[in-house]
Amino acid sequence: MSTETKVWTFDDFEIGAALGTVEIVIDAHRMDLWTRIYGCEDDARESVPPGLLVAAMMEGYVKGIQPRPPGNVHAGQTLAFTAHRVRSGARLSLAFSCLGKELKRERRWITFGVRVHDGAHLAMAGEISSIWAA
Amino acid sequence: MTETSHESLPPTLRALELATSPEVTRAYAELTADFNPIHVDADFAAKTPFGSPIAHGTMALNLVLEAAVRTFGRARPLRDVSIRFVRPVPVGRTIRAGGRLADPSRGTYEVFVEMEDGLRTLEGTLTLGSHGTDATGDGMTSEAIDRETFGQLCDMVDRFVAQRLIPNEERVEEEDRIPDEIIAEMRELGFFGLTIPPEYGGLGLTSAQEADIVMRLGRAALAFRSVFGTNVGIGAHGLIMEGTEEQKRHYLPRMATGEIVASFALTEPDAGSDSASLRTKAVRDGDDYLITGSKRYITNAERAGLFTVMARTDPEQPGADGISAFLVPAGSPGLSIGKNDRKMGQRGTTTSDVTFDAVRVPARAIIGGVPGRGFRMAMKVLDRGRIHIAALAVGACERLIGEMVAYAKERKQFGRPIAEFQLIQAMIADSHTEHLAARALVEKAAAIYDAAGAARVEASCAKYFATEAVGRIADRAVQVHGGAGYMRDYAVERFYRDVRVLRIYEGTSQIQQIVIARQLLKD
């Protein structure tokens, strides 16, 4: 990720550019927070719920692309889950990239790509559609 | 009969609600490290057009995912999700996630999240994965390798087929065995673990990916695929689908490397397609079972390290409920392998009788640990196995058409290439049409299998059509070659013999017809 303190603007993003990698551990505290919000019907749940990967993705997105202008809008999302089962305690590696950007009706649309790996295994890939504020 | 994919999915997702209280919103902010004041600072939010804090968008997205998880449990994992956020949710509102089945063949639901007043905050689609082969231990078949990696695998298979397999076809035919160095290369390339889940050392290919690879391999002499075919297919899938974790950990990693070759022992001298009448019995003896009986035409028995053996454990149950599936290591006392069968084609493959004379195995050798599920497991195994065989037939179609076209351009009669004669062209056109139709059926059946975890009718349709088509195409290929086609110097003569068995194993064409018709009549 950029080490500069300059706010990321629409013009800064290059299509196809890698935006860096963030590591996130699916620890017990994270699992507890998930359960507080969504509950858990399966006490013996061996793998983390898919939504927790989405939460990790958002943390990586927030941490990785900073500083950002206030007022960005998360407009859309695609997710592709693989068969790999992520277990509690896993250390995830989230790689972000800029897949596209486009001006539509005076709005700055940026599509970010994210690939979530658990070790060598791809666990989830996704695209975040954002309307960038500046 | 088991349910078809169309019947097996519920029409709606289980509804799930979430109150987006400030406390829940703050917990979600902590979970995502997203403390944007628009979510958690009322004073800040009051100065924005929203007037008050709004909930994180992915809080609603995750509610949909959780609703799907609670609807399907572990049996049907999520695969693809595509949504758009329609409007923000003021913190304090209760949101409800729901969905309705939109495309049963693909396992796709239209999903939404709405507030108490019915206003939607999120809309989109959610597509389920399969519970066929299982990278998770739960029956999941989503893509375990990404598309880029799979593309590289396809390229590698194409090169291997062109540079190593096809040039060795004649040698296999002459020696009636696959060269050791070819088998070693197959191991190195990971062929033995194509469909074994990554957790156990394989690639975990979906049915669609497996079919794609098998179509490529089908362009070479079919005997090559047979070396690892049982590890990729019927020899492994029972264990993958229904095995205990202990059983999987014990066997699958070594099957994925090819250290163990797995064999599927179902057919008997008096029980072929009528599997429910099989006679091999397993009699309880303390903590063990004693297996006695004979199995026939067992592929790879000679080199097998492990047999999946169907045996009747409950003599009071004459039908399917009395059959269990056992994992029996080769070399078990009382287990003997007959001499190799002399077959019409596919030289280099081995099939043999396998005899069990009071072979002692522990009760924990039953796949899944529960007796009486063997026949149903075998039917599930065959479901995917039929798509595999259909894909193999498609690959052979492609090779045969290539041979047919090349020969027609080269061979001259009456002073010009026979390709210019319209009756030759008709045979080529019919063959290509059937080839494309077979390919489409295979791709459709595999897609349904991956989406819904079952494709009983579609798999039978694909197997029935593709294997009958390749028989016709092989016949035309020989015909286009004329006298040369009857000579062993030409690949079409060998393929003509090799493809004949495709209409027989994994259920004869007549069994496929019965499966298809019964299901339609039942509906």
Side-chain angles (χ1 to χ4, degrees):
Chain A
M1 292 296 152
S2 170
T3 56
E4 299 174 11
T5 54
K6 177 179 173 292
V7 170
W8 279 95
T9 66
F10 183 76
D11 291 338
D12 295 328
F13 292 104
E14 290 181 21
I15 296 172
L19 299 173
T21 302
V22 176
E23 286 202 344
I24 291 173
V25 177
I26 305 295
D27 55 19
H29 179 59
R30 203 175 291 270
M31 296 288 279
D32 288 344
L33 282 170
W34 175 269
T35 304
R36 275 166 52 190
I37 299 165
Y38 293 103
C40 179
E41 287 194 335
D42 182 0
D43 293 338
R45 192 177 241 168
E46 293 177 3
S47 55
V48 306
L52 204 40
L53 298 184
V54 175
M57 175 191 76
M58 292 312 296
E59 178 174 345
Y61 174 63
V62 168
K63 284 182 173 176
I65 304 168
Q66 283 285 6
R68 59 179 64 205
N72 295 334
V73 176
H74 188 172
Q77 182 72 53
T78 68
L79 302 166
F81 296 97
T82 73
H84 179 70
R85 177 165 53 177
V86 175
R87 295 176 186 277
S88 177
R91 180 179 292 274
L92 303 180
S93 174
L94 299 94
F96 291 88
S97 61
C98 175
L99 298 180
K101 65 177 191 178
E102 186 180 8
L103 274 172
K104 286 190 294 190
R105 296 181 188 173
E106 300 181 356
R107 287 184 160 184
R108 305 172 194 86
W109 286 81
I110 301 180
T111 303
F112 296 98
V114 57
R115 297 173 70 80
V116 182
H117 278 87
D118 176 10
H121 301 294
L122 180 68
M124 187 188 82
E127 293 184 7
I128 302 167
S129 297
S130 288
I131 301 172
W132 209 251
Chain B
M1 292 289 171
T2 59
E3 292 180 333
T4 66
S5 58
H6 303 272
E7 297 170 318
S8 57
L9 295 174
T12 58
L13 291 187
R14 181 178 155 186
L16 193 60
E17 287 189 350
L18 175 67
T20 65
S21 65
E23 295 74 25
V24 165
T25 303
R26 181 155 284 279
Y28 196 83
E30 190 177 348
L31 179 66
T32 57
D34 182 359
F35 289 96
N36 186 325
I38 194 65
H39 302 307
V40 293
D41 186 337
D43 292 338
F44 174 88
K47 298 168 190 162
T48 71
F50 300 112
S52 65
I54 58 171
H56 301 73
T58 54
M59 193 190 291
L61 169 58
N62 281 339
L63 191 64
V64 169
L65 301 184
E66 196 61 15
V69 166
R70 294 185 188 190
T71 302
F72 303 106
R74 297 180 181 184
R76 295 254 167 83
L78 316 185
R79 190 176 63 191
D80 294 314
V81 178
S82 179
I83 60 96
R84 66 189 183 101
F85 296 105
V86 179
R87 61 173 57 81
V89 175
V91 169
R93 302 288 292 271
T94 295
I95 54 177
R96 185 179 74 91
R100 68 167 193 87
L101 184 59
D103 185 346
S105 71
R106 304 185 71 83
T108 298
Y109 285 77
E110 289 178 355
V111 295
F112 62 85
V113 177
E114 63 186 13
M115 292 177 269
E116 306 99 316
D117 50 11
L119 286 175
R120 290 192 171 183
T121 181
L122 173 158
E123 295 175 341
T125 60
L126 180 152
T127 300
L128 299 172
S130 152
H131 63 177
T133 48
D134 182 1
T136 65
D138 306 336
M140 182 171 177
T141 320
S142 306
E143 293 175 0
I145 64 173
D146 58 71
R147 286 168 193 172
E148 182 181 345
T149 307
F150 183 67
Q152 292 168 351
L153 175 66
C154 292
D155 292 343
M156 183 265 290
V157 170
D158 286 345
R159 284 196 300 275
F160 189 62
V161 167
Q163 296 172 8
R164 300 292 293 140
L165 300 189
I166 292 177
N168 275 290
E169 286 177 337
E170 279 306 308
R171 181 179 167 196
V172 170
E173 190 70 9
E174 290 298 318
E175 297 177 2
D176 196 14
R177 60 188 293 278
I178 307 296
D180 291 340
E181 68 268 24
I182 296 284
I183 295 176
E185 289 172 50
M186 288 174 170
R187 286 199 179 102
E188 288 172 10
L189 294 171
F191 283 6
F192 285 84
L194 287 175
T195 61
I196 291 174
E199 288 190 348
Y200 307 105
L203 292 175
L205 299 189
T206 63
S207 179
Q209 290 172 329
E210 176 189 357
D212 192 327
I213 295 295
V214 171
M215 284 189 237
R216 295 168 194 272
L217 291 165
R219 298 174 197 151
L222 306 191
F224 290 116
R225 182 221 55 103
S226 184
V227 172
F228 58 86
T230 46
N231 277 40
V232 168
I234 58 177
H237 278 299
L239 183 54
I240 293 169
M241 289 174 183
E242 306 231 333
T244 63
E245 189 59 28
E246 181 188 1
Q247 289 168 338
K248 292 178 186 178
R249 298 254 169 235
H250 189 65
Y251 290 114
L252 289 177
R254 286 180 291 160
M255 288 165 63
T257 62
E259 179 188 340
I260 292 180
V261 170
S263 244
F264 186 68
L266 170 63
T267 302
E268 298 184 355
D270 296 315
S273 294
D274 181 16
S275 310
S277 69
L278 91 175
R279 293 182 179 174
T280 296
K281 61 183 179 183
V283 178
R284 188 81 192 217
D285 183 33
D287 292 335
D288 300 332
Y289 281 90
L290 295 173
I291 301 177
T292 300
S294 294
K295 297 294 182 179
R296 177 150 289 178
Y297 311 140
I298 304 305
T299 302
N300 285 334
E302 177 193 55
R303 51 172 80 106
L306 178 70
F307 292 91
T308 297
V309 181
M310 297 295 157
R312 191 170 296 286
T313 44
D314 186 352
E316 302 301 315
Q317 289 276 2
D321 290 340
I323 296 171
S324 302
F326 289 87
L327 295 167
V328 183
S332 298
L335 189 159
S336 57
I337 311 292
K339 63 180 182 182
N340 286 347
D341 298 319
R342 298 174 63 236
K343 302 184 296 297
M344 174 193 289
Q346 294 208 21
R347 285 173 64 76
T349 64
T350 60
T351 63
S352 323
D353 282 5
V354 183
T355 304
F356 300 84
D357 184 7
V359 174
R360 182 176 292 276
V361 293
R364 66 174 183 277
I366 293 177
I367 292 180
V370 181
R373 294 183 178 175
F375 185 75
R376 286 179 181 80
M377 185 207 78
M379 292 302 102
K380 285 167 67 179
V381 167
L382 289 176
D383 214 11
R384 182 158 173 167
R386 284 168 179 161
I387 299 172
H388 179 111
I389 296 299
L392 186 65
V394 170
C397 289
E398 192 176 338
R399 171 69 181 278
L400 284 159
I401 293 167
E403 296 284 341
M404 202 187 305
V405 168
Y407 189 82
K409 287 180 176 176
E410 174 195 317
R411 172 70 170 164
K412 291 184 177 172
Q413 288 287 279
F414 307 104
R416 50 185 175 148
I418 62 171
E420 294 182 12
F421 299 130
Q422 289 182 331
L423 291 179
I424 296 291
Q425 292 172 4
M427 284 192 278
I428 292 171
D430 286 353
S431 297
H432 187 57
T433 304
E434 290 187 317
H435 163 225
L436 292 187
R439 180 178 288 270
L441 264 177
V442 169
E443 290 172 349
K444 177 77 173 174
I448 290 172
Y449 187 94
D450 286 335
R456 177 59 48 85
V457 170
E458 294 83 359
S460 284
C461 290
K463 204 265 180 184
Y464 175 44
F465 184 83
T467 60
E468 291 285 338
V470 77
R472 292 190 292 271
I473 292 170
D475 189 75
R476 290 188 201 112
V478 169
Q479 198 70 14
V480 167
H481 278 67
Y486 200 66
M487 301 300 152
R488 297 214 161 177
D489 294 339
Y490 289 83
V492 294
E493 183 275 337
R494 172 165 37 79
F495 266 87
Y496 182 85
R497 289 180 284 113
D498 285 355
V499 301
R500 185 61 184 84
V501 76
L502 300 182
R503 290 145 67 183
I504 297 171
Y505 57 28
E506 253 81 331
T508 62
S509 291
Q510 289 65 41
I511 287 294
Q512 310 309 329
Q513 289 174 301
I514 289 169
V515 169
I516 297 161
R518 274 189 188 162
Q519 191 64 48
L520 294 182
L521 292 168
K522 179 180 159 189
D523 290 345

